[in-house]
Amino acid sequence: MIRPIYDQAWSKTFYEWLQPRANIEVDDYTTIGFLDEWDNIVGVILFCGYDGNNIYVHIASDNPKHVQRRFIKLMFDYVFNQAKCQRVTATCTAENKRSMKLIEGVGFKKEGYLKNFLKKHDKLYDIALYGMQKEDCRWVISR
């Protein structure tokens, strides 16, 4: 049974697990991690860049089966009901078709590309930029 962990004592561990998978480096973030029955990390949702109106979200899992509907609901509940954002932004490398399918599958709309935005190991990557407005989110009921 996979369970969500909100405890900020885990936050650094979750960040270190997610960071190489999501190609991000941030200092100020909030996480929801997901552990299996043996306390292995199977997924992490990281929120960063909160400005009162928007927040960036990054999701990583080594197995797409671990990205369950109930966890997507938790993500959007945090964004729209707890953080009180009007929109949420997601990004991924333009060549990461698996991530693009997930992002689009939960309802994000593609807003464009950022050409040569990410440099990793001396290689430049284009980034696909996605957004979702609160009124367009089918995952949560506004409080």
Side-chain angles (χ1 to χ4, degrees), residues 19-65:
Q19 194 274 330
R21 291 166 175 84
N23 298 311
I24 66 163
E25 292 184 29
V26 294
D27 295 321
D28 188 25
Y29 55 86
T30 299
T31 60
I32 302 172
F34 301 95
L35 302 180
D36 65 14
E37 57 270 20
W38 302 282
D39 286 342
N40 297 311
I41 300 171
V42 297
V44 174
I45 300 171
L46 181 139
F47 306 94
C48 63
Y50 175 72
D51 67 7
N53 180 58
N54 178 69
I55 196 166
Y56 288 83
V57 64
H58 303 274
I59 304 170
S61 176
D62 289 337
N63 183 338
K65 292 180 181 178

Side-chain angles (χ1 to χ4, degrees), residues 3-117:
R3 64 192 190 284
I5 305 296
Y6 300 90
D7 185 348
Q8 290 307 298
W10 278 85
S11 199
K12 185 172 190 244
T13 301
F14 290 150
Y15 174 80
E16 290 170 351
W17 185 90
L18 175 130
Q19 194 274 330
R21 291 166 175 84
N23 298 311
I24 66 163
E25 292 184 29
V26 294
D27 295 321
D28 188 25
Y29 55 86
T30 299
T31 60
I32 302 172
F34 301 95
L35 302 180
D36 65 14
E37 57 270 20
W38 302 282
D39 286 342
N40 297 311
I41 300 171
V42 297
V44 174
I45 300 171
L46 181 139
F47 306 94
C48 63
Y50 175 72
D51 67 7
N53 180 58
N54 178 69
I55 196 166
Y56 288 83
V57 64
H58 303 274
I59 304 170
S61 176
D62 289 337
N63 183 338
K65 292 180 181 178
H66 294 146
V67 182
Q68 301 172 5
R69 293 175 63 85
R70 64 188 176 116
F71 302 144
I72 299 299
K73 288 180 182 180
L74 290 175
M75 176 181 74
F76 287 117
D77 180 70
Y78 178 82
V79 168
F80 295 123
N81 292 330
Q82 295 177 48
K84 305 285 189 211
C85 290
Q86 178 56 40
R87 66 167 279 133
V88 58
T89 301
T91 62
C92 68
T93 58
E95 62 187 34
N96 189 339
K97 302 303 181 198
R98 186 174 137 205
S99 289
M100 292 171 83
K101 183 177 178 181
L102 170 67
I103 292 168
E104 292 170 7
V106 300
F108 281 87
K109 292 188 173 100
K110 191 178 294 180
E111 296 181 338
Y113 289 96
L114 304 171
K115 188 91 172 132
N116 294 327
F117 188 79

